[in-house]
Amino acid sequence: MTPPPDAADLLARGELTVRGRIREASNAALYCTVSDDGREAACIYKPVAGERPLWDFPDGTLAQREVAAYEVSEATGWGLVPPTVLREGPYGEGMCQLWVEAAPEAELLALVDGEEPEPGWKAIGFAEVGEGRTALLVHADDERLRRLAVLDAVLNNADRKGGHLLPTGEGRLYGIDHGVTFNVENKLRTLLWGWAGEPLTREAVDVLEGLRKDLAEGGPLAARLQPLITGAEIDATRARVGALLGSGKHPEPSGEWPAIPWPPV
């Protein structure tokens, strides 16, 4: 699925109609349609009023963080986050994101026997699979996932689970659920550790250099983030970009925070 060029405008301006609720979501997530002047699309609407309080994030800020993640994704040019806007809806202000139909046959994660991954896969770690058995959890050695790993390091994503990865039938990959991002403390929790400690690609370095310019005081990305996250969080984002460029490598688990989200899928 390639989003239409006017998707963000449709999400922001269209009439929002609730069709159902995503019951698996930890916060209120409503499946909706949005329509305007003959245009229509499916979307997810997460009202601020339905956010569950978290001890390490200020109340009522998750929707803004989802929109901020989209803005950073767009600035990379990778388009890894579906179009996302902040708007009024039937239950008050919330984030509205284009619905993405995932291709169920796409395999990005797997549990395998053995100590090392096969070619084309990257090791995440060992997982208990019952009856005292363990298996190696792996993810695909996929360029799209590698880009997302870089984006997550910039966002300081505290919850990159397997269920948040949406490959499409057209070959695109999207990441969703970015409410717990941009914390000033190191919170990176992800399944995409397969490149930890490896050199960044030339493409990633170029993208990070672009982000550094756009995030500078008065830069276009800094201006778009200002209404969405705090000044301290923007500064911390700048610092993470600078640290990635300084090391030239994918980050490694710090040991100060659980490295893998639970449940992982």
Side-chain angles (χ1 to χ4, degrees), residues 62-72 84-86 95 228:
L62 305 190
Q64 291 92 328
R65 295 172 194 277
E66 295 243 29
V67 179
Y70 168 68
E71 293 290 354
V72 175
T84 312
V85 302
L86 195 67
M95 84 86 173
L228 301 169

Side-chain angles (χ1 to χ4, degrees), residues 50-86:
E51 294 179 3
R52 183 180 64 180
L54 298 172
W55 69 269
D56 51 350
F57 286 85
D59 292 352
T61 67
L62 305 190
Q64 291 92 328
R65 295 172 194 277
E66 295 243 29
V67 179
Y70 168 68
E71 293 290 354
V72 175
S73 169
E74 287 299 283
T76 66
W78 286 335
L80 293 168
V81 178
T84 312
V85 302
L86 195 67

Side-chain angles (χ1 to χ4, degrees), residues 248-263:
K249 297 179 179 180
H250 287 267
E252 300 181 76
S254 67
E256 302 172 356
W257 181 258
I260 295 176
W262 188 261

Side-chain angles (χ1 to χ4, degrees), residues 58 65 184 225-226 228-235:
R65 295 172 194 277
V184 296
L225 294 181
Q226 195 168 15
L228 301 169
I229 57 177
T230 67
E233 289 166 342
I234 295 173
D235 287 341

Side-chain angles (χ1 to χ4, degrees), residues 87-99:
R87 61 162 293 167
E88 286 293 323
Y91 299 101
E93 185 179 61
M95 84 86 173
C96 189
Q97 184 175 83
L98 191 70
W99 176 266

Side-chain angles (χ1 to χ4, degrees), residues 60-263:
T61 67
L62 305 190
Q64 291 92 328
R65 295 172 194 277
E66 295 243 29
V67 179
Y70 168 68
E71 293 290 354
V72 175
S73 169
E74 287 299 283
T76 66
W78 286 335
L80 293 168
V81 178
T84 312
V85 302
L86 195 67
R87 61 162 293 167
E88 286 293 323
Y91 299 101
E93 185 179 61
M95 84 86 173
C96 189
Q97 184 175 83
L98 191 70
W99 176 266
V100 173
E101 285 289 349
E105 68 277 6
E107 190 174 22
L108 299 175
L109 298 165
L111 284 168
V112 298
D113 294 323
E115 300 287 323
E116 297 291 337
E118 295 183 359
W121 295 89
K122 289 284 190 177
I124 302 168
F126 290 95
E128 294 185 9
V129 293
E131 299 181 354
R133 291 182 58 247
T134 60
L136 184 63
L137 181 60
V138 297
H139 66 67
D141 188 2
D142 186 303
E143 180 186 65
R144 301 168 301 170
L145 287 181
R146 190 166 190 170
R147 289 171 174 170
L148 192 57
V150 174
L151 178 64
D152 281 342
V154 172
L155 302 180
N156 196 15
N157 191 350
D159 196 32
R160 175 60 73 208
K161 297 177 179 176
H164 300 166
L165 304 172
L166 301 181
T168 73
E170 294 83 7
R172 296 197 61 162
L173 175 72
Y174 292 99
I176 60 169
D177 284 352
H178 296 101
V180 286
T181 48
F182 296 103
N183 201 297
V184 296
E185 298 180 7
N186 181 15
K187 298 279 188 180
L188 185 59
R189 291 195 303 175
T190 176
L191 288 178
L192 304 181
W193 287 116
W195 298 280
E198 293 187 15
L200 296 166
T201 64
R202 180 69 252 176
E203 177 195 45
V205 171
D206 290 343
V207 164
L208 290 167
E209 290 283 10
L211 286 181
R212 178 155 61 182
K213 293 177 182 176
D214 288 349
L215 283 167
E217 292 284 352
L221 180 56
R224 291 196 296 274
L225 294 181
Q226 195 168 15
L228 301 169
I229 57 177
T230 67
E233 289 166 342
I234 295 173
D235 287 341
T237 305
R238 293 187 184 110
R240 288 191 296 272
V241 171
L244 287 166
L245 286 168
S247 71
K249 297 179 179 180
H250 287 267
E252 300 181 76
S254 67
E256 302 172 356
W257 181 258
I260 295 176
W262 188 261

